[in-house]
Amino acid sequence: MKPDTIVLIHGFWVTPRSWEQWTAHYQAKGFRVLAPAYPGFEAEVEALNADPTPIEQLTVPAIISSLEKLIDGLDGPPILMGHSAGGVFTQILLDHGYGACGVAMNSAPTEGVAVVPLSQVKATFPVLKNPANRHKAVGFTYDQWRYAFTNTFPEDQAKATYERYHIPASGHVFWGSALANIHPGHADSYVDYHNDSRAPLLFIAGENDHLMPPRIQRSNAKHYKSNTLTEIVEYPGRSHLMPAQDGWEEVADHALEWALGHS
């Protein structure tokens, strides 16, 4: 029996609102669609910008625990789709035995993926330039958002997405990810690349993504050495905020078709 539920997992600097078009699109196709917020992120974008305390307190284990609890309450394994940091959480959930299959779009890297393109260094510099940001919620200026998230968008659309979707990100989580390949022991972004029981996984990369370029997706996919299906597809001309970019329907339909065909 094919999954009838899709769980959409958002990334950093945005909330579940960033999935609003995909949610309506999949619901119109008859699916139950869940787009959960991170713990404490249940408030709207405007409220989180006004008071970023929940962002400062965020941890990856709390996110994963919340998502696993949600999935445990479902009648059957759902399709998991994650964007950016949500791509990491999708991979972790699959590794933990959750989900019928997974789609990781413009995914941040899991532990052990050491590729760091120059565009990513520039895109993440606002967070990593100051070690004190490790204890703060760090937002983007519009120009920083434009470079990291919407570099191929028309100017009016880029500004509209910044106003509608942007919130600060957790410096604590982001610094932990940046140091994942340096400190001893497993980091919060660890997955078992040799897990033969992991469900199928598709990486979707945007050709012009500055924040998580295709090189990261390709490296992440190659790390998997298990006897399970891992594929990658690249879309030309796409930025990091692919779920809100013109032509998102093509990406959404391909992701769903692939997921249904491999679950």
Side-chain angles (χ1 to χ4, degrees):
M1 184 175 179
K2 297 297 182 182
D4 61 1
T5 301
I6 302 171
V7 177
L8 302 174
I9 307 171
H10 68 90
F12 291 160
W13 286 287
V14 296
T15 72
R17 184 187 286 180
S18 62
W19 286 116
E20 57 187 346
Q21 297 180 99
W22 288 52
T23 298
H25 187 67
Y26 288 151
Q27 286 175 337
K29 294 179 179 291
F31 288 88
R32 180 187 185 193
V33 184
L34 305 174
Y38 298 159
F41 280 49
E42 295 80 10
E44 289 291 350
V45 166
E46 295 77 11
L48 287 169
N49 278 312
D51 179 11
T53 303
I55 301 172
E56 296 171 354
Q57 299 172 343
L58 188 68
T59 68
V60 171
I63 296 171
I64 298 301
S65 176
S66 175
L67 291 168
E68 289 179 348
K69 183 178 180 180
L70 172 72
I71 297 169
D72 280 335
L74 301 176
D75 293 334
I79 296 168
L80 304 177
M81 296 187 185
H83 173 247
S84 196
V88 171
F89 305 146
T90 295
Q91 293 181 66
I92 293 172
L93 289 168
L94 292 176
D95 186 45
H96 290 183
Y98 289 86
C101 61
V103 177
M105 185 188 317
N106 291 343
S107 181
T110 45
E111 182 181 331
V113 180
V115 174
V116 185
L118 288 177
S119 67
Q120 186 189 45
V121 173
K122 180 177 178 179
T124 59
F125 186 70
V127 181
L128 300 178
K129 67 180 179 181
N130 185 352
N133 286 340
R134 192 169 182 175
H135 308 289
K136 299 178 181 178
V138 186
F140 280 147
T141 65
Y142 169 67
D143 287 342
Q144 291 165 346
W145 168 271
R146 184 86 166 102
Y147 180 83
F149 272 69
T150 57
N151 49 297
T152 60
F153 283 43
E155 186 70 22
D156 59 337
Q157 292 181 14
K159 288 182 177 178
T161 59
Y162 181 71
E163 293 172 359
R164 181 151 182 80
Y165 300 134
H166 171 264
I167 62 169
S170 166
H172 168 74
V173 174
F174 207 85
W175 267 86
S177 175
L179 299 175
N181 296 322
I182 300 174
H183 61 60
H186 290 315
D188 291 338
S189 59
Y190 168 79
V191 297
D192 179 3
Y193 295 117
H194 298 272
N195 181 359
D196 289 331
S197 64
R198 193 215 72 202
L201 171 63
L202 172 68
F203 285 91
I204 297 180
E207 176 193 20
N208 300 115
D209 184 352
H210 283 164
L211 186 60
M212 299 297 168
R215 282 179 57 198
I216 294 177
Q217 319 299 306
R218 290 193 292 267
S219 179
N220 201 156
K222 287 180 180 178
H223 272 68
Y224 283 100
K225 307 301 181 183
S226 55
N227 296 319
T228 54
L229 181 65
T230 305
E231 294 185 349
I232 182 168
V233 62
E234 183 175 324
Y235 277 87
R238 305 301 173 99
S239 302
H240 187 66
L241 195 62
M242 201 185 299
Q245 187 166 10
D246 284 351
W248 61 264
E249 297 94 338
E250 178 187 2
V251 184
D253 288 343
H254 178 76
L256 179 59
E257 181 181 355
W258 187 93
L260 293 174
H262 296 91
S263 56

